[in-house]
Amino acid sequence: MFALCQVPSDFALTLVLELVYRRVLYSSDQQLAAQVDTEQKQADLKAFAAHGCYGTSVITALTAQNTKGIQGVHATPPGFVAQQITSIFDDLDVRAIKTGMLFDAAIATVVAQCLKTHVAQGALPPVICDPVCVSTSGHTLLHEDALQVLISELFPLATLITPNKPEAELLLSKMGVPDVEINNLDDMLSSAKKLLSVGCEAVLLKGGHVITSIDEVVLAQEKYSGLKVIKQGMLGDNMEIILVNYPEIAIENLELVADVLCQKSGSTTIFVRPHIKSSSTHGTGCTLSSAIAAELANGSPLEDAVANAALYTHLGIQAADPIGSGHGPLNHFHNVTKILIPQRTETNPYPFTRLLIEGASSSWKDYVEHAFVKQLGEGTLDRARFIHFIKQDYLYLKYYARAYGLLAAKSTSFGWIRSATETILNVLHEIGNHKTYCSTFGITEAELESTPESAATTSYGAYIMDVGLQGDSMKLVMALTACLLGYGEVGLWLKKQASTKNSWVMLEGNPYKHWIQEYSGSMYQDAVRIGLETIESYAVADPPSAQRLKEWQTVWERCTRLEKGFWDMAMQLSE
């Protein structure tokens, strides 16, 4: 298979060797205008188009196939393959090359000869060789006599080769490596290093056929000095409010897949992602290698190109709708479709919440892991600082309850009115607990009511009331849930830290133990869960524009910083 990619004027140009099923047309403004599609597996040209590249193709073979498998393959005469390649090179400025299904030794030899001729005429652009040998359905796509041609003639010209597990095992056996079996991450690492001996600049051993775990990744890091690990598609720090409801997506509980990139320079990188149980995997390998070629054509360094392409392919599987009765295609255009908030999936159950936290990750971390919080966990927080804090928290709750009253007034359904009203009742219940708790520190109700508001309390309270008076009710939801979810995250973070070996969190004898248990406990976490479901359902029911989403994120981050201001206020009391 041999295809070439080119784009108009200021777009990157890519040459790709791949089986052609589709012609992609571009309009004068360089946007994708139309597609002529008569076959299912159009992975390569779709991937190029999705990355802003124009693909031109050299047909090495035709197939009869559907999602259930390949029923027949008809090879192109080698001379005509050469004529197609020459035609492209004579006219277009090629920026990257990708080989796919080359079918037999004659075609593979012609491809290698044409590339060598191009080398003699000038510099060869990056070459990605995908050694397509066997289809997902088990159909042989490369004659055995072509393997040696790939190894001796084509791979030495390659910037990168991208075999999967069975292809790597087959190639290594042809290279004289005995009894090769790739069953785990350590096998992948050693096999990728051995494959470098074919003369290519780098090897990407794809891990879709090998399930691994974070424990294996850690062991690999301990065994191989300098090994770099890039995690993709997994939750980051300070998302315990999500993990407490979905512990199965915690990294230690996930089934993972890993792609191993070994470079001739000596560097090795593992790209780790959650394994997706999906039948929409037809053309995954072609998509990945084509996306890498497009990234290189667009100027990305190799490691970045692989990282971006791997994540693009992962999300394409995740975003795919089932097509056909077998292995359907992934969604190649997920990255050009304007979906601001991802759909809920098994590994991303609260996508909107995750988007909010990741978008304000620095502010969120500063708030959750604040010195005030750490001293609470240690039990070393100055008593006067804590008393000052809980007095101001009491005053803030008045603003909070009134803001929910505004939300009830803005609500357009009885369900949302009820939810806001129940929250007000919960706040009133919390006030009772608050008074009781304060009494244990010698603080009377009269003292609570007579305490002057601090600047931090007034600023925060005034801000949420101001947001509530604005037109967009979702902005008010953002302001209110930042507080609700924030306290839930702090409670769970301290609880998690307390469960670690030789923990710095000391619960026994801690004067703030009740506070920690209150916000990490089931009653408060039930309220957090309702809050999570509420904001996710709001986002689905009223999908935002890009500008509106930015406004929501701005409110969320502002309230996160105002929450942190409460901790700052307490810590600065004696300064």
Side-chain angles (χ1 to χ4, degrees):
M1 298 161 39
F2 191 84
L4 299 127
C5 256
Q6 190 213 7
V7 295
S9 62
D10 61 334
F11 276 49
L13 305 180
T14 310
L15 164 63
V16 184
L17 301 152
E18 203 29 274
L19 182 61
V20 174
Y21 305 90
R22 161 176 303 174
R23 182 165 55 89
V24 181
L25 307 178
Y26 276 76
S27 64
S28 58
D29 65 351
Q30 299 177 344
Q31 299 301 309
L32 184 61
Q35 299 176 140
V36 180
D37 194 345
T38 57
E39 289 282 350
Q40 184 274 328
K41 187 181 176 185
Q42 313 301 320
D44 304 280
L45 294 178
K46 287 180 179 177
F48 303 146
H51 285 80
C53 292
Y54 185 85
T56 64
S57 305
V58 171
I59 301 173
T60 60
L62 300 173
T63 69
Q65 66 170 293
N66 53 29
T67 64
K68 293 185 288 186
I70 297 175
Q71 293 78 47
V73 181
H74 180 70
T76 303
F80 188 60
V81 171
Q83 188 175 0
Q84 293 178 77
I85 297 172
T86 301
S87 178
I88 296 299
F89 275 130
D90 284 348
D91 184 39
L92 302 176
D93 178 17
V94 175
R95 299 288 178 85
I97 301 169
K98 182 229 163 183
T99 68
M101 180 182 132
L102 300 182
F103 190 67
D104 61 18
I107 293 174
T109 299
V110 162
V111 169
Q113 289 173 344
C114 288
L115 292 184
K116 289 176 182 178
T117 299
H118 193 66
V119 171
Q121 297 171 349
L124 190 68
V127 177
I128 310 300
C129 292
D130 187 10
V132 180
C133 301
V134 182
S135 70
T136 302
S137 58
H139 196 285
T140 299
L141 296 174
L142 185 69
H143 288 190
E144 189 171 350
D145 61 356
L147 285 170
Q148 195 56 49
V149 177
L150 262 63
I151 293 169
S152 61
E153 301 293 329
L154 195 56
F155 288 172
L157 301 173
T159 305
L160 177 73
I161 64 172
T162 62
N164 58 25
K165 163 188 157 65
E167 290 164 350
E169 290 173 339
L170 182 58
L171 290 170
L172 287 169
S173 69
K174 288 295 179 183
M175 292 164 57
V177 180
D179 303 323
V180 179
E181 287 190 9
I182 302 173
N183 297 316
N184 53 48
L185 183 56
D186 191 57
D187 292 342
M188 290 180 67
L189 284 159
S190 60
S191 296
K193 290 180 184 296
K194 291 172 185 174
L195 284 168
L196 273 176
S197 65
V198 298
C200 56
E201 292 296 319
V203 174
L204 180 68
L205 181 46
K206 298 176 291 190
H209 294 80
V210 180
I211 301 298
T212 187
S213 67
I214 193 61
D215 289 339
E216 282 195 27
V217 174
V218 171
L219 288 173
Q221 285 182 292
E222 293 173 353
K223 181 176 179 179
Y224 297 95
S225 176
L227 180 65
K228 185 176 181 180
V229 175
I230 296 177
K231 299 173 185 175
Q232 300 178 309
M234 289 177 275
L235 293 181
D237 295 334
N238 304 126
M239 296 194 191
E240 298 302 317
I241 51 174
I242 296 176
L243 292 174
V244 72
N245 297 303
Y246 293 89
E248 66 273 14
I249 66 172
I251 190 168
E252 62 268 20
N253 298 326
L254 282 173
E255 289 187 336
L256 304 176
V257 294
D259 299 328
V260 175
L261 175 66
C262 285
Q263 300 189 58
K264 202 173 185 178
S265 62
S267 69
T268 302
T269 306
I270 304 176
F271 304 89
V272 184
R273 301 174 301 282
H275 174 249
I276 302 174
K277 296 176 182 177
S278 173
S279 62
S280 300
T281 55
H282 196 100
T284 304
C286 299
T287 298
L288 175 60
S289 52
S290 294
I292 294 170
E295 286 280 349
L296 292 173
N298 285 323
S300 296
L302 181 60
E303 185 179 290
D304 291 347
V306 173
N308 295 339
L311 184 58
Y312 161 80
T313 305
H314 172 81
L315 294 175
I317 298 171
Q318 194 173 76
D321 291 320
I323 295 176
S325 55
H327 289 278
L330 58 158
N331 180 352
H332 292 85
F333 292 107
H334 68 86
N335 64 327
V336 295
T337 305
K338 294 298 181 183
I339 301 176
L340 297 174
I341 300 174
Q343 294 182 341
R344 298 179 79 162
T345 66
E346 288 184 0
T347 57
N348 194 13
Y350 294 126
F352 182 41
T353 305
R354 180 175 175 178
L355 189 69
L356 292 170
I357 294 174
E358 288 178 341
S361 59
S362 178
S363 299
W364 184 256
K365 185 179 181 67
D366 288 345
Y367 163 63
V368 174
E369 300 184 19
H370 196 281
F372 179 90
V373 176
K374 291 178 179 178
Q375 290 182 24
L376 274 177
E378 294 168 340
T380 60
L381 182 66
D382 181 79
R383 180 185 175 91
R385 290 177 174 178
F386 184 74
I387 288 174
H388 182 62
F389 158 71
I390 58 175
K391 284 181 178 180
Q392 295 302 317
D393 196 35
Y394 175 85
L395 298 175
Y396 168 75
L397 285 173
K398 289 183 180 180
Y399 286 106
Y400 195 67
R402 288 156 58 200
Y404 264 103
L406 286 173
L407 183 60
K410 287 172 169 284
S411 299
T412 56
S413 72
F414 285 115
W416 289 347
I417 292 171
R418 177 178 179 176
S419 176
T421 304
E422 286 178 345
T423 300
I424 296 173
L425 294 174
N426 288 336
V427 171
L428 295 175
H429 175 75
E430 172 65 16
I431 287 296
N433 290 338
H434 202 96
K435 291 175 181 176
T436 301
Y437 184 54
C438 286
S439 67
T440 65
F441 285 85
I443 308 168
T444 65
E445 181 176 348
E447 188 177 353
L448 284 171
E449 290 291 346
S450 63
T451 297
E453 281 188 8
S454 72
T457 304
T458 303
S459 296
Y460 196 178
Y463 180 71
I464 63 172
M465 295 302 291
D466 177 60
V467 170
L469 293 171
Q470 296 175 26
D472 189 349
S473 61
M474 191 60 174
K475 289 171 69 174
L476 179 55
V477 172
M478 293 294 93
L480 294 169
T481 50
C483 174
L484 172 69
L485 303 188
Y487 272 66
E489 183 64 33
V490 167
L492 290 177
W493 184 71
L494 287 172
K495 182 179 180 180
K496 180 180 179 180
Q497 298 303 315
S499 68
T500 60
K501 187 177 180 181
N502 300 321
S503 174
W504 54 268
V505 175
M506 304 296 292
L507 293 180
E508 292 309 314
N510 188 329
Y512 312 116
K513 178 180 178 180
H514 176 80
W515 191 96
I516 296 170
Q517 291 178 331
E518 181 76 17
Y519 290 105
S520 63
S522 59
M523 182 174 293
Y524 191 84
Q525 290 301 323
D526 285 345
V528 169
R529 191 176 301 107
I530 292 170
L532 289 167
E533 293 293 342
T534 298
I535 63 173
E536 296 293 337
S537 62
Y538 263 110
V540 171
D542 189 15
S545 64
Q547 178 60 35
R548 236 180 125 210
L549 177 59
K550 184 177 180 180
E551 290 173 357
W552 295 356
Q553 291 175 305
T554 299
V555 172
W556 171 274
E557 180 158 18
R558 174 76 180 275
C559 287
T560 299
R561 286 189 275 111
L562 287 166
E563 285 287 344
K564 176 182 175 292
F566 251 60
W567 305 148
D568 293 338
M569 166 197 68
M571 297 303 287
Q572 294 164 2
L573 181 63
S574 60
E575 295 179 3

